[in-house]
Amino acid sequence: MEMKNKVSNTQVSVKRRSWSWQQYLADQKAEAAPLSLFTQSQSFPSKKNGFKVGMKLEGVDPLHPSMICVLTVAEVIGYRLRLHIDGYAECYDFWVNADTADIRPAGWCNKNHHKLHPPKGYSETDFDWQQYLQSTRSQAAPQTLFRTHNSCSAPCPFRVGMKLEAVDRKNPSLVCVASVTDVIEQRFLIHFDNWDDTYDYWCDSSSPYIHPVGWCEEHGRPLTAPQGHPSPENFLWEEYLEDSNSTAAPSSAFTTRAPHGFQVNHRMEAVDRRNPMLVRVATVTDTEDYRVKVHYDGWSEQFDLWCDSDLCDLHPVGWSQRTGHPLDPPPGSAPTSSPSQGVCPTPGCRGVGHIKGAKYTGHHSSFGCPYSDINIRKEAVLPDRLGEGRVVTFVPVTTTPVYHHGNQTVSRGGSCVEAEPQDELPVLPVEKRRRMTDRMSQSTKMLHVKQEEEELNITDFVPEFDGLSVCPAAESSLHAALHQSVFLSAMSPQPGRDLSLCWEQHRKLLPGVAGVHADAVQHWSVQQVSEFIESLTGCEEQAKQFTDEQIDGRAFLLLTQRDIVRIMSIKLGPALKIYNSILMFKHAEDQSQSEAGGTGS
């Protein structure tokens, strides 16, 4: 893989010279968040970034937190690094700060008895760093560049194998049976028993997301048993600990974290989670004990997100200037001279970055724009690099955690990227699990549902591609099992009838289809059909086939699922979405005619 700084500092840093924090704060009558509120990893670094493009190292894969992989520095901007997982596509690249605890020098795993996952095509047992560096004609990043870790501190009280109860941070209203599966210094890895590692996360003893065994029972909370447990409704810790020959993490190991001190209207600098090569001017618009709601100044509130107050992507005012990283001011707040200005039709966007991540450094249309109306309600996802037909989310949705704070339960309102917190009932993301199994359909112990809670607000969705369909990110656990089969209507002998049963779900899952009638579609040109297919997440590659086959709107509506799968040789996942779109176009027209007929009578 060719390593280079593909987006020059000139391109990324235009619009900066005439903009200053001092003037902006004065104009807005705003206050910068005090430096004392930021953690060490968020604040100004103590030394310069010495990493160079091409250097190799070891580090945690953020999409598979249990795996430490061979990495290469692909790009350096200021104090930030874009890291590439050797042997895999650039779309899995990710950004970190140079002092992150998630990267280590080459050879660290071997020296510290941790498993290193070598590049694709290399054997774990035969991989040798020296031979690899020689064969790739590269150098290892010097140990002096890495964060200094305090080896004199007290040992971590958590041990590998200990059991506890932990919040599933991808479904934050769930507290689940979990284990400690790795320990590095004062941080340890949380793994949910019998689930894959894409739900794992690293934390320390003060994390508000972890609880001692018995916490759920003590606080009247439902506890989600391990996947495959023979009797999840009757799960008992005593039996499980005995059967698994394991021990519970001692209550004394858990410590209490003080709430943060950020206040509404505090200004800061924040990495753009939808376009992580950029750091933007941001404002705190809401707070909870351990989280803040971040708004990117000058952008729509629909891009706001809730995040942990100690997230390493939040920085004090002046961080970018101090570290040599470009800062994106609010759109329209400074004169522009960007060479890419005007290429992207989305207001405020300069054509930098791409909805599909680091594989593309720029875009010239709304289809690739992270901020376009087409993509605004989509999460950025990728096929799992490890295969198995799964996908992983690399722009996560932040939702409602269930906190543990002293002896009190602190349950906050749910919030997706664009949703406001709801105090009564959290809005949950439903994500595709291994083998089409959904954790939300798991039975839980002590789950009591009030009658009025069955009427749920499902009007706010953040779709994400799940390999078969675009999943809602705002579904209740009560309806999760039902909505696993939302897209089975495409395989039904009576798809029209079955489709009407889940019309609202389909309309939300494929927002580009809503309100479009077959009568309008039949007049589409070949180009319009191709553009529509390209707008469906996961179907971008199929768009060209529709152009090559000269399929216009009338022909498009005549396609059957068999035509799409067998004749056009389109994989089942994209085929299901394309066929469901056709069904929805037809259903919208039928429904409209039915309503018109009902009105007329």
Side-chain angles (χ1 to χ4, degrees):
M1 186 193 66
E2 184 181 1
M3 298 292 177
K4 59 183 179 179
N5 290 356
K6 296 191 295 183
V7 176
S8 69
N9 279 5
T10 302
Q11 181 182 356
V12 179
S13 65
V14 286
K15 310 203 295 186
R16 313 304 191 280
R17 295 173 186 168
S18 58
W19 190 92
S20 75
W21 263 116
Q22 183 178 8
Q23 186 63 47
Y24 184 69
L25 291 173
D27 292 344
Q28 298 291 316
K29 296 181 173 57
E31 177 186 354
L35 184 60
S36 59
L37 302 183
F38 293 88
T39 65
Q40 180 181 348
S41 62
Q42 296 172 317
S43 193
F44 302 117
S46 57
K47 60 180 182 180
K48 289 186 177 182
N49 181 5
F51 287 94
K52 305 294 182 185
V53 171
M55 287 182 173
K56 295 193 180 291
L57 59 152
E58 298 175 0
V60 174
D61 175 1
L63 299 183
H64 291 279
S66 68
M67 302 177 68
I68 300 178
C69 306
V70 174
L71 306 174
T72 301
V73 178
E75 189 171 358
V76 178
I77 301 181
Y79 201 65
R80 304 179 69 223
L81 313 172
R82 178 165 62 87
L83 299 178
H84 174 76
I85 303 175
D86 283 23
Y88 294 89
E90 285 183 293
C91 58
Y92 300 105
D93 291 6
F94 57 96
W95 288 89
V96 297
N97 293 333
D99 61 354
T100 177
D102 290 333
I103 59 174
R104 304 285 166 145
W108 182 90
C109 282
N110 184 51
K111 187 181 297 184
N112 292 275
H113 309 291
H114 277 71
K115 181 180 180 180
L116 176 67
H117 294 264
K120 191 174 184 179
Y122 284 80
S123 164
E124 292 179 7
T125 54
D126 298 336
F127 180 79
D128 178 81
W129 259 115
Q130 291 303 319
Q131 293 180 5
Y132 183 65
L133 291 172
Q134 290 177 5
S135 65
T136 56
R137 297 181 179 180
S138 52
Q139 70 172 107
Q143 190 164 352
T144 55
L145 302 183
F146 294 83
R147 174 178 173 180
T148 303
H149 302 277
N150 188 359
S151 58
C152 300
S153 59
C156 179
F158 289 86
R159 298 282 182 271
V160 171
M162 284 182 172
K163 301 290 184 182
L164 67 159
E165 300 176 4
V167 173
D168 175 358
R169 297 187 66 180
K170 292 189 176 182
N171 294 283
S173 271
L174 298 183
V175 183
C176 310
V177 172
S179 303
V180 175
T181 54
D182 200 356
V183 179
I184 299 179
E185 280 106 28
Q186 295 298 311
R187 300 168 72 228
F188 46 93
L189 185 66
I190 298 297
H191 174 75
F192 298 101
D193 290 18
N194 291 351
W195 294 97
D196 63 64
D197 74 333
T198 58
Y199 305 95
D200 293 4
Y201 58 87
W202 290 88
C203 66
D204 62 30
S205 62
S206 70
S207 171
Y209 302 107
I210 59 174
H211 316 296
V213 163
W215 181 86
C216 280
E217 185 172 10
E218 180 181 346
H219 293 85
R221 287 278 173 188
L223 176 66
T224 302
Q227 181 183 228
H229 191 276
S231 182
E233 300 90 347
N234 302 310
F235 176 85
L236 290 175
W237 265 116
E238 295 79 5
E239 294 178 357
Y240 186 66
L241 290 173
E242 183 177 348
D243 292 345
S244 59
N245 193 28
S246 53
T247 59
S251 296
S252 59
F254 298 82
T255 59
T256 302
R257 179 181 300 180
H260 65 77
F262 291 106
Q263 297 178 11
V264 172
N265 292 326
H266 272 167
R267 295 302 203 271
M268 60 173 61
E269 300 178 4
V271 172
D272 186 339
R273 297 297 293 278
R274 294 184 72 83
N275 199 355
M277 67 164 50
L278 302 177
V279 176
R280 297 192 181 278
V281 172
T283 301
V284 176
T285 57
D286 201 355
T287 65
E288 296 174 352
D289 283 350
Y290 306 106
R291 300 197 307 163
V292 294
K293 187 177 185 182
V294 174
H295 170 74
Y296 300 109
D297 288 21
W299 289 87
S300 169
E301 292 180 359
Q302 56 199 337
F303 296 112
D304 293 4
L305 78 156
W306 282 95
C307 60
D308 291 345
S309 62
D310 62 350
L311 181 72
C312 60
D313 286 344
L314 305 181
H315 302 290
V317 164
W319 184 87
S320 293
Q321 183 178 14
R322 180 84 66 90
T323 61
H325 194 288
L327 176 67
D328 262 55
S333 65
T336 60
S337 58
S338 170
S340 59
Q341 188 71 22
V343 173
C344 177
T346 304
C349 181
R350 297 181 289 111
V352 176
H354 199 282
I355 188 64
K356 292 193 175 297
K359 182 177 181 181
Y360 308 98
T361 59
H363 61 273
H364 54 80
S365 72
S366 57
F367 292 113
C369 179
Y371 319 103
S372 66
D373 290 339
I374 293 174
N375 295 321
I376 198 171
R377 303 183 72 81
K378 294 178 183 177
E379 280 208 332
V381 296
L382 294 169
D384 193 330
R385 68 178 178 86
L386 303 181
E388 302 181 22
R390 299 181 302 188
V391 297
V392 286
T393 303
F394 69 93
V395 177
V397 170
T398 53
T399 45
T400 310
V402 178
Y403 294 123
H404 166 238
H405 182 63
N407 294 321
Q408 297 181 337
T409 302
V410 184
S411 180
R412 298 294 185 177
S415 172
C416 293
V417 171
E418 62 273 308
E420 290 297 324
Q422 303 291 326
D423 293 332
E424 293 300 319
L425 186 66
V427 179
L428 310 177
V430 174
E431 304 193 28
K432 190 69 63 176
R433 302 300 197 183
R434 181 178 49 197
R435 303 183 188 280
M436 296 281 290
T437 304
D438 198 298
R439 186 188 229 131
M440 305 299 290
S441 63
Q442 284 285 104
S443 298
T444 55
K445 183 182 178 185
M446 296 162 40
L447 178 59
H448 305 287
V449 182
K450 296 180 181 178
Q451 184 69 31
E452 62 267 25
E453 289 180 343
E454 295 183 5
E455 295 182 8
L456 302 172
N457 177 10
I458 55 173
T459 57
D460 290 316
F461 288 78
V462 182
E464 66 180 67
F465 177 55
D466 61 21
L468 253 184
S469 62
V470 181
C471 268
E475 274 295 75
S476 151
S477 59
L478 300 173
H479 296 167
L482 170 65
H483 293 304
Q484 285 179 8
S485 61
V486 160
F487 276 83
L488 293 181
S489 61
M491 296 173 278
S492 168
Q494 294 177 287
R497 183 198 68 181
D498 293 344
L499 180 63
S500 64
L501 300 177
C502 51
W503 166 249
E504 284 301 314
Q505 282 70 37
H506 277 271
R507 189 170 62 83
K508 296 295 185 181
L509 298 173
L510 295 173
V513 182
V516 181
H517 293 189
D519 183 56
V521 176
Q522 69 176 345
H523 298 293
W524 281 1
S525 65
V526 172
Q527 180 63 26
Q528 285 175 302
V529 171
S530 177
E531 289 177 353
F532 169 74
I533 300 299
E534 188 176 7
S535 73
L536 297 175
T537 308
C539 300
E540 296 85 350
E541 296 180 3
Q542 284 71 36
K544 185 176 185 299
Q545 290 179 252
F546 281 77
T547 302
D548 294 343
E549 297 292 340
Q550 289 294 293
I551 296 176
D552 59 13
R554 189 176 297 274
F556 181 55
L557 292 172
L558 293 174
L559 289 175
T560 65
Q561 183 183 339
R562 186 176 181 275
D563 295 333
I564 299 170
V565 175
R566 297 185 181 178
I567 300 176
M568 298 189 70
S569 300
I570 292 177
K571 292 181 180 179
L572 181 60
L576 279 176
K577 278 192 288 186
I578 293 169
Y579 182 57
N580 270 278
S581 299
I582 295 173
L583 291 179
M584 290 173 68
F585 288 140
K586 293 178 179 179
H587 182 82
E589 186 169 37
D590 292 343
Q591 188 180 52
S592 178
Q593 292 174 354
S594 175
E595 291 174 353
T599 304
S601 64

